[in-house]
Amino acid sequence: MQKSLSSTVEIAPVQSSRYVGRVPGIFSRRTTSPLLLLLRVNLLHNWRRLLAVRNQSRLLTSIISTFVVGYLVLSFWLFYYALKFIAKFPGLGAALTDRLLYTLFAFLFALLLLSNLVISYTNLFRNRETAFLLTLPVTTQTIFRWKFIESVMLASWAFLFLIAPLLGAFGLVRGVPWHFYPVTMALIGLFIVLPGVIGTWLAIVVGRLLDRRNFQIAIVVTAVALLMIVTFVWKTQAVDEQVLDQRTMQALDQLLARTNFTLFPFLPSYWLSSAVMQWAEGIFRGAEFFALVLLSNTLFFSSLAFTRFGNIFYDTASAVQSRAGSSFKLNYLRTTRISQRPVVGRLERLAAKLLWFDHATLALVIKDLRMFWRDTTQWGQSVMLFGLLGVYIINLRNFTHQLSSPFWINLVAYLNLGACALNLATVTTRFVFPQFSLEGRRLWIVGMSPMGLERVVKTKYWMSSVVSLVATLGLITLSCWLLKMGWSDIVFFGAVVSVMTFALNALAVGLGVLYPNMKEANPSKIVSGFGGTLCLVLSFLYILASVLLLAFGTAGLHGQVSWAAESVILFVLLSCLIGWVPLRLGLRQLKNFEA
């Protein structure tokens, strides 16, 4: 990326890129604008990477392509039959479908906002390309525009990937005309810009004020307040059975009483949902009104970001880069200094009490913990991920009131197992897979140490396994307890999650060694490469196969003990295969690094 830009753009000595305007001799009228140049270079770079991945291994490429196509087909099939089933209810089907779309787009808007916040902070202030571009004779407004476009694209592709089969199934059930689909795509394109602008602005605010104690206290207080609101206010209410039997709008209002906030007319998700549904129903005047509202807000806020955020970005980037160490202080994760003489930090003194570990292993663990804490985006994403899972678990107790059939009890139990396992797969892919690559060009220093690379990788594996096991085992135990399961079921699901934890961590560590990216310091871009995608696909397939195997064998609906024993044995063998083989191949690959 740096070589491509430096070879295309002639660099002239300037004092600061913030005050560079029209510099004679650098960009003539016939040359391409800097923003278009950045877009073209990055598109070519990504296209060549895609071709290189295809030439590297056609088998793995075909596996990922099959997974993508299979997901689209399976999700479309599920959405189509679910919407078709809801539409069969007379008087309630259409209203319930509309409310579900309002709720879905509202929550997706919130998730897009969080995703843009995290990715924008990384791209603007923790990115090597941004630091390189700031040294070029390019205005900071142009740099910000390019990073804004890149952040929105990175944060929104998963949203588009998720929403495409749903809207296709919705259009097929409603019998919409052909022009519904291009109009919906245009509306979604306008919609994703708004959370991008808000998320980028929040990232700039966080980067500017994160080192201030009052701001830190405000963040903690806000997080606690939101958790209390979710816990004590946003709860489902019991509905009278007589009202349910009538199947009226009154029953629908009582069932979905806590989703009324999605009908707030000033939410961008409300504009998008209203435009989509009214266009599907043939009410083109109303759909055009909401489309114009969405368009006007998108144009206003995007023009505001494109013209006014450049200087603010430069000032914030200067403030972030001028800070020493972590901007969010935690005494146990930093080394104190008294009278200019270094002393042993509190974390080292705490680790010294673990006498059964050698000093080299403890030093590596402490180093990884400090590196994780110093990266704001790393622990910020982990807190957001487990926070969303915590909201899910808190609301699990609402499912136990209407569950009386053994079929539905077992279904909810194994769906809960799948949700916890998918969260574990997300953690291992996002945080464990890039650990080896993050050593970067300093890997030869670690390789020359007495520990050796093999011991370093094994230490990273056991550390990540223990940390993720503590979190996942606590989540599965709490969720099973909220579902009012017996202790035998809690022990069984806890054992299953423990086996999955060691298997998924071994898969992530092994593939991280087999497909490293030593040139990239951004964990998000390391994960988005070929190895990270393969790790996510294999983790998903493993979880799907394990949950289905255990559900059919141990649910207790068939009454045969042999089925349960065989399913457990097959699950253990599958876990050993998915974990041991990649880890073993990765350890063997280390010999090439040490050679």
Side-chain angles (χ1 to χ4, degrees), residues 367-368 372 378 430-440 460 463-464 509 512 526:
K367 188 267 295 183
D368 286 342
F372 178 81
Q378 290 277 73
R430 175 60 182 84
F431 300 108
V432 180
F433 174 82
Q435 286 301 312
F436 183 76
S437 299
L438 287 177
E439 298 294 339
K460 290 179 179 291
M463 181 188 68
S464 59
V509 172
I526 295 175

Side-chain angles (χ1 to χ4, degrees), residues 316-515:
T316 306
S318 301
V320 171
Q321 299 301 326
S322 63
R323 294 169 188 159
S326 174
S327 59
F328 198 81
K329 301 296 187 294
L330 185 66
N331 292 332
Y332 279 95
L333 295 179
R334 64 186 178 96
T335 304
T336 58
R337 292 179 179 269
I338 301 177
S339 302
Q340 302 298 324
R341 194 174 85 182
V343 296
V344 178
R346 294 184 177 91
L347 189 59
E348 283 82 356
R349 291 201 298 267
L350 179 63
K353 298 180 181 179
L354 305 176
L355 302 178
W356 55 88
F357 291 108
D358 60 286
H359 296 288
T361 302
L362 291 176
L364 180 62
V365 172
I366 293 173
K367 188 267 295 183
D368 286 342
L369 289 176
R370 282 208 172 98
M371 293 298 294
F372 178 81
W373 183 255
R374 288 171 182 172
D375 192 347
T376 309
T377 57
Q378 290 277 73
W379 58 262
Q381 289 182 9
S382 61
V383 169
M384 181 181 67
L385 185 63
F386 282 99
L388 294 175
L389 189 62
V391 173
Y392 153 75
I393 291 177
I394 289 173
N395 286 274
L396 267 181
R397 63 179 183 271
N398 299 320
F399 288 99
T400 60
H401 300 299
Q402 288 83 19
L403 293 180
S404 58
S405 172
F407 172 79
W408 291 107
I409 293 175
N410 285 282
L411 179 62
V412 172
Y414 282 96
L415 287 177
N416 174 63
L417 173 65
C420 294
L422 289 174
N423 180 79
L424 175 63
T426 305
V427 171
T428 54
T429 304
R430 175 60 182 84
F431 300 108
V432 180
F433 174 82
Q435 286 301 312
F436 183 76
S437 299
L438 287 177
E439 298 294 339
R441 299 176 181 176
R442 300 176 296 273
L443 187 64
W444 65 274
I445 301 177
V446 182
M448 294 178 61
S449 65
M451 291 184 66
L453 287 180
E454 182 175 353
R455 188 176 171 188
V456 169
V457 171
K458 289 182 179 180
T459 301
K460 290 179 179 291
Y461 165 69
W462 286 109
M463 181 188 68
S464 59
S465 298
V466 171
V467 172
S468 57
L469 179 62
V470 171
T472 310
L473 197 59
L475 290 174
I476 194 66
T477 303
L478 179 60
S479 60
C480 291
W481 179 74
L482 291 175
L483 289 173
K484 298 181 180 179
M485 296 183 183
W487 283 107
S488 59
D489 294 331
I490 294 177
V491 172
F492 170 74
F493 284 110
V496 170
V497 163
S498 300
V499 174
M500 285 184 172
T501 300
F502 289 105
L504 291 174
N505 278 279
L507 175 65
V509 172
L511 292 180
V513 177
L514 291 173
Y515 300 98

Side-chain angles (χ1 to χ4, degrees), residues 37-100:
L37 179 63
L38 288 170
L39 288 171
R40 186 180 66 182
V41 169
N42 280 272
L43 286 176
L44 288 175
H45 177 67
N46 292 328
W47 176 250
R48 290 169 181 172
R49 286 181 59 187
L50 183 61
L51 294 179
V53 168
R54 186 190 64 179
N55 296 328
Q56 179 181 4
S57 178
R58 295 183 180 274
L59 176 61
L60 296 178
T61 305
S62 61
I63 291 176
I64 295 177
S65 302
T66 304
F67 173 78
V68 171
V69 175
Y71 164 77
L72 292 175
V73 173
L74 180 61
S75 58
F76 174 80
W77 180 78
L78 292 175
F79 285 133
Y80 173 74
Y81 281 97
L83 294 176
K84 193 174 181 180
F85 173 77
I86 294 174
K88 292 181 180 179
F89 291 93
L92 292 179
L96 183 59
T97 302
D98 294 346
R99 183 64 65 88
L100 289 177

Side-chain angles (χ1 to χ4, degrees), residues 99-212:
R99 183 64 65 88
L100 289 177
L101 286 180
Y102 279 115
T103 306
L104 175 65
F105 281 116
F107 279 100
L108 288 178
F109 177 79
L111 293 177
L112 276 176
L113 185 61
L114 292 174
S115 180
N116 277 281
L117 168 60
V118 175
I119 293 178
S120 297
Y121 183 88
T122 304
N123 264 350
L124 293 176
F125 310 119
R126 299 295 183 185
N127 188 270
R128 293 171 59 187
E129 183 188 5
T130 305
F132 168 72
L133 291 175
L134 287 172
T135 64
L136 298 179
V138 184
T139 60
T140 54
Q141 193 67 56
T142 301
I143 300 174
F144 173 80
R145 290 171 183 173
W146 157 239
K147 284 302 170 182
F148 171 75
I149 295 173
E150 184 183 27
S151 300
V152 172
M153 293 175 61
L154 289 175
S156 304
W157 73 266
F159 166 76
L160 300 175
F161 191 64
L162 173 67
I163 210 67
L166 172 61
L167 292 176
F170 173 78
L172 189 60
V173 171
R174 291 290 181 93
V176 298
W178 64 269
H179 49 75
F180 168 81
Y181 300 102
V183 169
T184 303
M185 293 177 59
L187 292 174
I188 291 177
L190 296 174
F191 172 74
I192 62 176
V193 176
L194 292 177
V197 174
I198 301 174
T200 305
W201 177 76
L202 290 176
I204 294 176
V205 172
V206 169
R208 185 68 175 176
L209 305 177
L210 189 60
D211 61 333
R212 302 184 182 182

Side-chain angles (χ1 to χ4, degrees), residues 528-539:
S528 62
F530 181 74
T533 305
L534 179 63
C535 180
L536 183 62
V537 170
L538 292 179
S539 300

